[in-house]
Amino acid sequence: MARRALKLASLAAATSGIYLYGNKFLDPNDFGVVRVGRAITTTAVITYDYLTSLRSVPYGSEEYDFLKSQVHLRSAERLRELCCANRGTFIKVGQHLGALDYLLPEEYTRTLKVLHSQAPQSTRQEIEQVIREDLGKEIKELFLSFEDTPLGAASLAQVHKAVLQDGRTVAVKIQHPKVRAQSSKDILLMEVLLLVVKQIFPDFEFMWLVEEAKKNLPLELDFLNEGRNAEKVAHMLKNFEFLKVPRIYWELSTRRVLLMEFMEGGQVNDRAYMERNGINVNEISRNLGKLYSEMIFVNGFVHCDPHPGNVLVKKCPASGKAHIILLDHGLYQDVEIRSNAAAYLPQITQLLNNVPRQMLLLLKTNDLLRGIESALHTRASASSFLNMSRCCIRAVSTYQRSKSHSLYRRAQISLTEALSLWQINLYELFLWLKGSQLGNWVIALLSQMHHSMY
């Protein structure tokens, strides 16, 4: 009965906005009363399901665990439907939830992961509208050609391939036109609903999601900030010749439109692409570990969204070397690990809910990198762990030297650093020998000699 009433309330809210639908740029799903009504209804139904489905079952029993899993699954599906319907900020938050394998039940993460492939697409008319408003010109005035089908669509924006009047091929990132106006209201709505849920379920510990959205979403919606991040990381890591970051064309960029040098390649987890193009997967895995270890431990400026669509690989025809192309620079974190690594160690032993939010993003980044290594079958070489260890040793040693006023103590720190790095190199050589044909031959020979002795 309660569920039927909630559905009727949602239908009434939707109906109240439909009469306004006349302009071809408008969608009843974009009206506040519809979005609010849908979010309230979904939250109420999920809450009611948890309150009623488990109350008569003994806690900790097999039946309780089974029913709880079913409630998790139903609730995750309702949440997914809400995100798909309200789009924009809701899909962004849903995607973030889908990546929290270390915090949420598996039913939620498995169900919400599909949101990465269900991002909305703006129409050609909406794209033209944004470009006209931000750049003051029509598409045909700016570009010789402009591909209607986007290269990719995300929760906040989509990217199109185009050719400028001077012949340069560019990637044009265009924000969905309604996202900015809706985002602040959506976050406020989420905050209110989560506060209500917190009152009903005191153990609910996800208010930090709203705080993260409040802090990060305005940055991700400002494409000028993304352009500055791209230039900053390109400058910081300029010594890595394998890294390529698209150049930003500032004269045609605004907060909602970003023009970049067009770069293409295969996704970093596509082992078949690398084999077809003669790219060494172990080299890519090793360089990826170097790249992120340097960002985390040395520069303290970390690209926090390295999913395969944002990290491409390509073999340079001229040099024959493999390049890593880093895209989507909207979300970076300044972390304090490089100067205060030891302060985090006690917290890591606590529940993950108590880990600083920046650390959660780093853990998410770490999970994505490990997933890429698994897809490339390079985990056995432990290259990323070894590179991370090297960067960590360098960062800690640099910090210790900066705090030491004794020449003898600084020399001692440098000697310890050199010894530790030498030990890592030795271990890396051991792993290489173990995985090589020569290593297998030596192990077989030693094994044969051992058996002959006995």
Coordinates of all heavy atoms in Angstrom, one line a residue, residues 271-321:
R271 N 45.2 -5.8 -24.2 CA 46.4 -6.6 -24.5 C 46.4 -7.0 -26.0 O 47.5 -7.0 -26.6 CB 46.4 -7.8 -23.6 CG 47.7 -8.6 -23.7 CD 47.7 -9.9 -22.9 NE 48.9 -10.7 -23.1 CZ 49.9 -10.6 -22.3 NH1 49.9 -9.8 -21.2 NH2 51.0 -11.4 -22.5
A272 N 45.3 -7.3 -26.6 CA 45.3 -7.8 -28.0 C 45.7 -6.6 -28.9 O 46.5 -6.9 -29.9 CB 43.9 -8.2 -28.4
Y273 N 45.3 -5.4 -28.6 CA 45.7 -4.2 -29.4 C 47.2 -4.1 -29.3 O 47.9 -3.8 -30.3 CB 45.0 -3.0 -28.9 CG 45.6 -1.7 -29.4 CD1 45.1 -1.1 -30.6 CD2 46.6 -1.0 -28.7 CE1 45.6 0.1 -31.1 CE2 47.1 0.2 -29.2 CZ 46.6 0.7 -30.4 OH 47.2 1.9 -30.9
M274 N 47.8 -4.2 -28.1 CA 49.2 -4.1 -28.0 C 50.0 -5.1 -28.7 O 51.0 -4.8 -29.3 CB 49.6 -4.1 -26.5 CG 49.0 -2.9 -25.7 SD 49.6 -2.9 -24.0 CE 48.3 -2.0 -23.2
E275 N 49.5 -6.4 -28.7 CA 50.2 -7.4 -29.4 C 50.1 -7.2 -30.9 O 51.1 -7.5 -31.6 CB 49.6 -8.8 -29.0 CG 49.9 -9.2 -27.6 CD 49.2 -10.5 -27.2 OE1 48.2 -10.9 -27.9 OE2 49.5 -11.0 -26.1
R276 N 49.0 -6.7 -31.4 CA 48.9 -6.4 -32.8 C 49.8 -5.3 -33.3 O 50.3 -5.3 -34.4 CB 47.4 -6.0 -33.2 CG 46.4 -7.1 -33.2 CD 45.1 -6.7 -33.9 NE 44.6 -5.5 -33.4 CZ 43.7 -5.4 -32.4 NH1 43.3 -6.5 -31.8 NH2 43.3 -4.2 -32.0
N277 N 50.1 -4.4 -32.4 CA 50.9 -3.2 -32.8 C 52.3 -3.3 -32.2 O 53.0 -2.3 -32.3 CB 50.2 -1.9 -32.2 CG 48.9 -1.6 -33.0 OD1 49.0 -1.0 -34.0 ND2 47.8 -2.1 -32.5
G278 N 52.7 -4.5 -31.8 CA 54.1 -4.7 -31.3 C 54.5 -3.8 -30.1 O 55.6 -3.4 -30.0
I279 N 53.5 -3.7 -29.2 CA 53.8 -2.9 -28.0 C 54.1 -3.9 -26.8 O 53.3 -4.8 -26.6 CB 52.6 -2.0 -27.6 CG1 52.4 -0.9 -28.7 CG2 52.8 -1.3 -26.3 CD1 51.2 -0.1 -28.5
N280 N 55.1 -3.6 -26.1 CA 55.5 -4.5 -25.0 C 54.7 -4.2 -23.8 O 54.7 -3.2 -23.2 CB 57.0 -4.3 -24.7 CG 57.5 -5.3 -23.6 OD1 56.9 -5.6 -22.7 ND2 58.8 -5.7 -23.9
V281 N 53.8 -5.2 -23.4 CA 52.9 -5.0 -22.3 C 53.6 -4.8 -21.0 O 53.2 -4.0 -20.1 CB 51.9 -6.2 -22.2 CG1 50.9 -6.2 -23.4 CG2 52.6 -7.5 -22.0
N282 N 54.7 -5.5 -20.8 CA 55.5 -5.3 -19.5 C 56.1 -3.9 -19.4 O 56.2 -3.3 -18.4 CB 56.6 -6.3 -19.5 CG 56.1 -7.7 -19.2 OD1 55.4 -8.0 -18.2 ND2 56.3 -8.6 -20.1
E283 N 56.5 -3.3 -20.6 CA 57.0 -2.0 -20.6 C 55.9 -1.0 -20.3 O 56.1 0.0 -19.5 CB 57.6 -1.7 -22.0 CG 58.2 -0.2 -22.1 CD 58.6 0.1 -23.5 OE1 58.5 -0.8 -24.4 OE2 59.0 1.3 -23.7
I284 N 54.7 -1.2 -20.8 CA 53.6 -0.3 -20.5 C 53.2 -0.4 -19.0 O 53.0 0.6 -18.3 CB 52.4 -0.7 -21.3 CG1 52.6 -0.3 -22.8 CG2 51.1 0.1 -20.9 CD1 52.8 1.1 -23.1
S285 N 53.2 -1.6 -18.5 CA 52.9 -1.8 -17.1 C 53.9 -1.1 -16.2 O 53.6 -0.4 -15.2 CB 52.8 -3.3 -16.8 OG 52.4 -3.5 -15.4
R286 N 55.2 -1.3 -16.5 CA 56.3 -0.7 -15.8 C 56.2 0.8 -15.8 O 56.3 1.5 -14.8 CB 57.6 -1.2 -16.3 CG 58.8 -0.8 -15.6 CD 60.0 -1.6 -16.0 NE 60.3 -1.5 -17.4 CZ 60.2 -2.5 -18.2 NH1 59.7 -3.7 -17.8 NH2 60.4 -2.4 -19.5
N287 N 56.0 1.4 -17.0 CA 55.9 2.9 -17.1 C 54.7 3.5 -16.4 O 54.8 4.6 -15.9 CB 55.9 3.2 -18.6 CG 57.3 3.1 -19.3 OD1 58.3 3.0 -18.6 ND2 57.3 3.0 -20.6
L288 N 53.6 2.7 -16.5 CA 52.4 3.2 -15.8 C 52.7 3.3 -14.3 O 52.2 4.2 -13.6 CB 51.2 2.3 -16.1 CG 49.8 2.8 -15.8 CD1 49.5 4.0 -16.6 CD2 48.8 1.7 -16.1
G289 N 53.4 2.2 -13.7 CA 53.7 2.3 -12.3 C 54.7 3.4 -12.0 O 54.5 4.1 -11.0
K290 N 55.6 3.7 -12.9 CA 56.5 4.8 -12.7 C 55.7 6.1 -12.6 O 56.0 7.0 -11.8 CB 57.5 4.9 -13.8 CG 58.7 3.9 -13.8 CD 59.6 4.1 -15.0 CE 60.7 3.1 -15.0 NZ 61.6 3.3 -16.2
L291 N 54.8 6.3 -13.6 CA 54.0 7.5 -13.7 C 53.3 7.8 -12.5 O 53.3 8.9 -11.9 CB 53.1 7.3 -14.9 CG 52.2 8.5 -15.3 CD1 53.0 9.7 -15.7 CD2 51.2 8.1 -16.4
Y292 N 52.5 6.8 -12.0 CA 51.6 7.1 -10.8 C 52.4 7.1 -9.5 O 52.0 7.9 -8.6 CB 50.5 6.1 -10.8 CG 49.3 6.6 -11.6 CD1 49.2 6.3 -13.0 CD2 48.3 7.4 -11.1 CE1 48.2 6.8 -13.7 CE2 47.3 7.9 -11.8 CZ 47.2 7.6 -13.1 OH 46.2 8.1 -13.9
S293 N 53.5 6.4 -9.4 CA 54.3 6.5 -8.2 C 54.9 7.8 -8.1 O 55.0 8.4 -7.0 CB 55.4 5.4 -8.3 OG 54.9 4.1 -8.3
E294 N 55.4 8.4 -9.2 CA 56.0 9.7 -9.2 C 54.9 10.8 -8.8 O 55.2 11.7 -8.0 CB 56.5 10.1 -10.6 CG 57.4 11.3 -10.7 CD 58.8 11.0 -10.3 OE1 59.2 9.8 -10.1 OE2 59.6 12.0 -10.1
M295 N 53.7 10.6 -9.3 CA 52.6 11.6 -9.0 C 52.3 11.5 -7.5 O 52.1 12.5 -6.8 CB 51.4 11.3 -9.8 CG 51.5 11.8 -11.2 SD 49.9 11.9 -12.1 CE 49.7 10.2 -12.6
I296 N 52.2 10.3 -7.0 CA 51.7 10.1 -5.6 C 52.8 10.5 -4.6 O 52.6 11.2 -3.6 CB 51.3 8.6 -5.3 CG1 50.0 8.3 -6.1 CG2 51.1 8.4 -3.9 CD1 49.6 6.8 -6.1
F297 N 54.0 9.9 -4.8 CA 55.1 10.1 -3.7 C 56.0 11.2 -3.9 O 56.6 11.7 -3.0 CB 55.9 8.8 -3.6 CG 55.1 7.6 -3.1 CD1 54.7 6.6 -4.0 CD2 54.7 7.5 -1.8 CE1 53.9 5.5 -3.6 CE2 53.9 6.5 -1.4 CZ 53.5 5.5 -2.2
V298 N 56.2 11.7 -5.1 CA 57.2 12.8 -5.4 C 56.5 14.1 -5.6 O 56.9 15.1 -4.9 CB 58.1 12.4 -6.6 CG1 59.1 13.5 -6.9 CG2 58.8 11.1 -6.3
N299 N 55.5 14.2 -6.5 CA 54.9 15.4 -6.8 C 53.7 15.8 -5.9 O 53.4 16.9 -5.8 CB 54.5 15.5 -8.3 CG 55.6 15.4 -9.2 OD1 56.6 16.2 -9.1 ND2 55.6 14.6 -10.2
G300 N 53.1 14.7 -5.4 CA 51.9 15.0 -4.6 C 50.7 15.6 -5.4 O 49.9 16.3 -4.8
F301 N 50.7 15.3 -6.6 CA 49.6 15.8 -7.5 C 49.2 14.6 -8.4 O 49.9 14.2 -9.3 CB 50.1 16.9 -8.3 CG 49.1 17.7 -9.2 CD1 48.1 18.4 -8.5 CD2 49.1 17.6 -10.6 CE1 47.2 19.1 -9.3 CE2 48.2 18.3 -11.3 CZ 47.2 19.1 -10.7
V302 N 48.0 14.1 -8.1 CA 47.6 12.7 -8.6 C 46.4 12.8 -9.4 O 45.3 13.3 -9.0 CB 47.4 11.8 -7.4 CG1 47.2 10.3 -8.0 CG2 48.6 11.8 -6.4
H303 N 46.5 12.2 -10.7 CA 45.4 12.0 -11.6 C 44.5 10.9 -11.0 O 45.0 9.8 -10.9 CB 45.9 11.6 -12.9 CG 44.9 11.4 -14.0 ND1 44.1 10.2 -14.0 CD2 44.4 12.1 -15.0 CE1 43.3 10.3 -15.1 NE2 43.5 11.4 -15.7
C304 N 43.3 11.2 -10.6 CA 42.5 10.2 -9.8 C 41.4 9.5 -10.6 O 40.5 9.0 -10.0 CB 41.9 11.0 -8.6 SG 43.0 11.3 -7.3
D305 N 41.5 9.5 -11.9 CA 40.5 8.7 -12.7 C 41.2 8.0 -13.8 O 40.9 8.2 -15.0 CB 39.5 9.7 -13.3 CG 38.2 9.0 -13.7 OD1 38.0 7.8 -13.3 OD2 37.4 9.6 -14.4
P306 N 42.1 7.0 -13.5 CA 42.9 6.3 -14.6 C 42.1 5.1 -15.1 O 42.7 4.0 -15.2 CB 44.1 5.9 -13.8 CG 43.7 5.6 -12.5 CD 42.6 6.6 -12.2
H307 N 40.8 5.2 -15.4 CA 40.2 4.1 -15.9 C 40.6 3.9 -17.4 O 41.1 4.9 -18.0 CB 38.6 4.1 -15.8 CG 38.0 5.2 -16.6 ND1 37.8 5.1 -18.0 CD2 37.4 6.4 -16.3 CE1 37.1 6.1 -18.4 NE2 36.9 7.0 -17.4
P308 N 40.5 2.8 -18.0 CA 41.1 2.5 -19.3 C 40.7 3.5 -20.4 O 41.6 3.7 -21.3 CB 40.6 1.1 -19.6 CG 40.4 0.4 -18.3 CD 39.9 1.5 -17.4
G309 N 39.5 4.1 -20.3 CA 39.2 5.0 -21.4 C 40.0 6.3 -21.3 O 40.0 7.1 -22.3
N310 N 40.6 6.6 -20.2 CA 41.4 7.8 -20.0 C 42.9 7.6 -20.1 O 43.6 8.6 -20.1 CB 41.1 8.4 -18.6 CG 39.7 9.0 -18.5 OD1 39.1 9.3 -19.5 ND2 39.2 9.2 -17.3
V311 N 43.3 6.4 -20.3 CA 44.7 6.1 -20.4 C 44.9 5.2 -21.7 O 44.5 4.1 -21.8 CB 45.3 5.3 -19.2 CG1 46.8 5.2 -19.3 CG2 44.9 6.0 -17.9
L312 N 45.5 5.8 -22.7 CA 45.7 5.2 -24.0 C 47.1 4.9 -24.3 O 48.0 5.5 -23.7 CB 45.1 6.1 -25.2 CG 43.7 6.6 -25.0 CD1 43.3 7.4 -26.2 CD2 42.7 5.5 -24.8
V313 N 47.4 3.9 -25.2 CA 48.7 3.6 -25.5 C 48.8 3.6 -27.1 O 47.9 3.2 -27.8 CB 49.2 2.2 -25.0 CG1 49.3 2.2 -23.5 CG2 48.2 1.1 -25.4
K314 N 50.0 4.0 -27.6 CA 50.2 4.0 -29.0 C 51.7 3.9 -29.3 O 52.5 4.5 -28.6 CB 49.7 5.3 -29.6 CG 49.7 5.4 -31.1 CD 49.1 6.6 -31.7 CE 49.1 6.6 -33.2 NZ 48.5 7.8 -33.8
K315 N 52.0 3.2 -30.3 CA 53.4 3.1 -30.8 C 53.8 4.2 -31.7 O 53.1 4.4 -32.7 CB 53.7 1.7 -31.4 CG 55.1 1.4 -31.7 CD 55.3 0.0 -32.1 CE 56.8 -0.4 -32.2 NZ 56.9 -1.8 -32.6
C316 N 54.8 4.9 -31.4 CA 55.3 6.0 -32.2 C 55.9 5.5 -33.5 O 56.9 4.7 -33.4 CB 56.3 6.9 -31.5 SG 57.0 8.3 -32.5
P317 N 55.4 5.9 -34.7 CA 55.9 5.3 -36.0 C 57.4 5.7 -36.2 O 58.2 4.9 -36.7 CB 55.0 5.9 -37.0 CG 53.8 6.4 -36.3 CD 54.2 6.7 -34.9
A318 N 57.8 6.9 -35.7 CA 59.1 7.4 -36.0 C 60.2 6.7 -35.1 O 61.2 6.2 -35.6 CB 59.2 8.9 -35.7
S319 N 59.9 6.7 -33.8 CA 60.9 6.1 -32.9 C 60.7 4.6 -32.5 O 61.6 3.9 -32.1 CB 60.9 6.9 -31.5 OG 59.6 6.7 -30.9
G320 N 59.5 4.1 -32.8 CA 59.2 2.7 -32.4 C 58.9 2.5 -31.0 O 58.6 1.4 -30.5
K321 N 58.9 3.6 -30.2 CA 58.7 3.5 -28.7 C 57.2 3.7 -28.4 O 56.4 4.3 -29.2 CB 59.5 4.6 -28.0 CG 61.0 4.4 -28.1 CD 61.7 5.5 -27.3 CE 63.2 5.3 -27.3 NZ 63.9 6.4 -26.6

